[in-house]
């Protein structure tokens, strides 16, 4: 499952209030959430991006609240992957759980420009900047996390375990 | 080699003798908590997982506190969904709108014991570390999985020890100490780590101050904040629950030969009250550098500073004085229990006489949800926990974080002020 698209670049400490401001937290429909994605940082983000586009950011991406609305908004507005120098831990878990591709790679952040074309091959942890020709390796997931990613998120993972309990 | 208190609690809940930082363990939480923001999504996800019943209806706590009392029809629908879930699952600990803010309510009801492991669908779940528990925040899907399985995976965090020495001035509270620490290490300075607070100044700090400190551990990226329980913890729990012995809490401390990632020391003897300026909780300045900052609103409350000690501090400053005509001053008790206590002590009279407004317990103002949303260009001094861009309303509004003394003094002065100025 390759992902490719244009890069939208952000700095350090992109917090969950920027990704989805608090006033929208009564919304639970991912499509509706997607319309307000990144509104705190870039008001027109949701209308500008194309499916598969990639968010590249600095350290501590997704810091702040535990709102799952944040990765849901990114995923449903079409973001194919988020690559960051580092992630806040709750955001990282939430993204893995809902099947939003998140990869940690500081080098990719440092050496990528806005609007570059990028290709991600998550199964190999490979990030290719097609504009500059450079290739990067993302930090590998711990085995348990890789298992959840492979299952397609935590929902199928838990469903499998619950079915196991019944038997 | 010994273990930190955090490692000990995780080991017990993983059914292991020892755990090491970096290790991934499956743990069985003592308590799960959710609200009207993480809850509605968790309920949908729970169903889509094919789960029928929560693992234990006595161990899932639901508090409706964010958009409550219901802000609008959408908020009302979120509340209804949670109410129906609570009813159908037989949830024992369900607390409806206005009862209180989750992180104030759970400790005061005695739902968290020293040594417990608590998972909450809210980032400020870290608050309970003040009782010597391991508590951390997760999102809706993790919470749904834990409700279904009674189990969750966690990576054992490294621990950073924060040692506070010295006797601070009377105007210094837990908020000033935690802002000092976050200012030093930055908003990702404790990413994935546990922040363990100790030293003379923490030993002397009351429980409410310790809740404030652990509450804001997340603002440094931490997985947990924790204070080793002591006689103060025991005294605070006395009357709330009687099954905690000094023997129990005696076991809950970090071993002398444990391995900290680092130890960071602060001498707080001459510390000035601290204020975090926009737009990060780590942009911390001493209050004296900010005296020219005019303000339009003050909020005193939240899971960070909405406890009785915080209201007493605010009342000490506001007693016999008037808030500035152009500063809306909003005081939000953290729970009905805190509210009643404030009434009985005459604090509510002090607030109303000063021109402040006392609102029902809610998270509303802190996250720009409702009750005190800021307009373009407005500045607020707030005892809450985050001053991110647009956090309390318009993207061109500003939030300054402080403790209740500075907030109350600023309400009177109409600008950021040291409590000794008023």
């Amino acid at each position: 499952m390759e992902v490719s698209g244009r890069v939208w670049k952000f700095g350090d400490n992109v917090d969950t209030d920027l990704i989805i401001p608090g006033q929208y937290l009564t919304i639970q429909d991912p499509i509706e959430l997607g319309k307000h994605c990144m509104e705190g940082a870039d008001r027109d983000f949701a209308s500008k991006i194309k499916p598969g586009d990639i968010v590249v950011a600095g350290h501590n991406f997704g810091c702040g609240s535990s709102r799952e609305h944040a990765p849901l908004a990114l995923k449903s507005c079409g973001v194919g992957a988020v690559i960051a120098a580092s992630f806040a831990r709750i955001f990282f878990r939430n993204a893995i759980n809902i099947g939003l591709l998140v990869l940690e790679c500081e080098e990719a952040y440092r050496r990528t420009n806005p609007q570059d074309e990028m290709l991600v091959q998550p199964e190999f942890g490979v990030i290719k900047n097609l504009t500059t020709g450079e290739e990067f390796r993302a930090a590998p997931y711990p085995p348990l996390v890789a298992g959840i990613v492979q299952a397609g998120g935590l929902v199928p993972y838990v469903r499998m375990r619950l079915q196991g309990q019944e038997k | 080699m010994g273990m930190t208190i955090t490692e000990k609690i995780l080991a017990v809940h993983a059914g292991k003798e020892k755990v090491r930082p970096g290790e991934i363990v499956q743990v069985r939480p003592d308590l799960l908590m959710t609200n009207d923001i993480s809850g509605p999504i968790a309920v949908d996800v729970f169903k889509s997982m094919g789960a029928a019943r929560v693992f234990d209806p006595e161990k899932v706590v639901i508090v409706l506190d964010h958009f409550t009392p219901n802000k609008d029809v959408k908020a009302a629908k979120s509340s209804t969904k949670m109410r129906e879930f609570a009813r159908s699952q037989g949830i024992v600990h369900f607390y409806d709108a206005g009862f209180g803010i989750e992180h104030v309510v759970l400790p005061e009801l005695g739902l968290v014991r020293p040594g417990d492991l608590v998972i909450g669908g809210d980032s400020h779940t870290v608050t309970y570390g003040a009782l010597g528990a391991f508590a951390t925040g997760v999102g809706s899907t993790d919470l749904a999985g834990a409700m279904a399985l009674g189990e969750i995976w966690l990576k054992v965090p490294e621990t950073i020890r924060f040692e506070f020495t010295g006797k601070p001035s009377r105007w210094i509270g837990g908020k000033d100490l935690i802002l000092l620490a976050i200012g030093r290490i930055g908003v990702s300075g404790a990413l994935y780590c546990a922040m363990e607070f100790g030293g003379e100044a923490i030993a002397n700090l009351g429980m409410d101050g310790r809740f404030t400190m652990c509450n804001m551990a997340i603002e440094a990226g931490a997985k947990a904040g924790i204070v080793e329980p002591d006689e103060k913890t025991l005294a605070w729990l006395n009357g709330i629950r009687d099954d905690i012995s000094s023997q129990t809490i005696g076991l809950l401390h970090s071993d002398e030969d444990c391995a900290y990632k680092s130890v960071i020391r602060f001498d707080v003897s001459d510390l000035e009250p601290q204020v975090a300026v926009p737009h990060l909780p780590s942009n911390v300045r001493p209050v004296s550098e900010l005296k020219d900052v005019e303000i339009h609103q003050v909020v005193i409350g939240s899971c960070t500073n909405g406890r009785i000690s915080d209201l007493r501090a605010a009342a000490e400053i506001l007693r016999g004085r008037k808030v500035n005509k152009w500063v809306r001053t909003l005081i939000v008790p953290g729970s009905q229990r805190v509210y009643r206590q404030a009434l009985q002590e005459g604090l509510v009279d002090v607030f109303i006489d000063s021109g402040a407004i006392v609102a029902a317990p809610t998270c509303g103002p802190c996250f720009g949800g409702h009750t005190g949303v800021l307009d373009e260009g407005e500045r607020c001094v707030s005892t809450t926990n985050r001053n991110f861009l647009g956090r309390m309303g318009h993207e061109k509004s500003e939030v300054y974080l402080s403790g209740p003394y500075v907030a109350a003094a600023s309400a009177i002065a109409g600008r950021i002020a040291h409590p000794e100025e008023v």
Side-chain angles (χ1 to χ4, degrees), chain B residues 125 294 297 312 321 361 400 404:
Chain B
T125 301
E294 274 188 43
Q297 181 168 289
R312 286 177 189 145
R321 298 191 175 93
Y400 293 74

Side-chain angles (χ1 to χ4, degrees), chain B residues 145-173:
Chain B
M147 286 197 299
L149 299 170
E151 195 180 285
I152 192 167
W153 70 270
L154 291 174
K155 186 160 84 175
V156 179
E158 294 182 291
T159 297
I160 305 174
R161 170 89 179 180
F162 294 78
E163 193 79 20
F164 294 86
T165 56
K167 288 201 170 59
S169 87
R170 61 182 301 232
W171 308 117
I172 299 300

Side-chain angles (χ1 to χ4, degrees), chain A residues 13 15-18 21-28 32-33 39-41 43 59-60 63-69 72 86-90 92-94 97-98 104 142-145 148 154-162 165-166, chain B residues 24 26 36-38 40-41 44-45 48-51 67 71-72 74-75 78 81 121-123 136-142 145 148-149 151-155 187-188 191-192 218-219 221-223 280 367-369 386 388-389 391 395:
Chain A
N13 304 317
D15 62 71
T16 50
D17 281 87
L18 295 180
Q23 58 174 304
Y24 300 122
L25 299 182
T26 49
I27 304 172
Q28 287 129 38
E32 281 302 308
L33 287 169
E39 200 171 286
R43 193 156 277 284
H59 282 287
N60 204 22
C63 63
S65 120
S66 68
R67 59 189 71 163
E68 204 157 288
H69 311 62
L72 283 172
S86 65
F87 289 93
R89 61 164 283 275
I90 306 178
F92 186 81
R93 286 184 78 115
N94 287 347
N97 287 344
I98 66 151
E104 192 178 295
L144 184 130
V145 176
I148 296 170
L154 196 71
V155 171
Y157 180 87
V158 172
R159 197 186 294 135
M160 247 157 32
R161 284 202 45 193
L162 286 173
Q165 280 178 6
E166 279 167 20
Chain B
I24 288 183
Q26 294 284 349
D36 55 315
I37 289 201
S38 61
I41 295 179
D44 290 343
V45 172
S48 70
M49 284 169 169
F67 282 108
K71 175 217 171 205
D72 55 21
K74 274 185 185 158
S78 296
K81 193 172 187 175
D122 188 273
S123 62
T136 196
V138 297
S140 302
T141 299
D142 261 329
L149 299 170
E151 195 180 285
I152 192 167
W153 70 270
L154 291 174
K155 186 160 84 175
V187 289
S188 59
L191 202 59
Y192 288 88
I218 179 70
E219 312 319 333
K223 182 174 212 157
L280 283 177
F367 72 104
R386 289 185 180 135
F388 298 150
L389 187 82
R391 172 75 178 180
E395 62 194 26

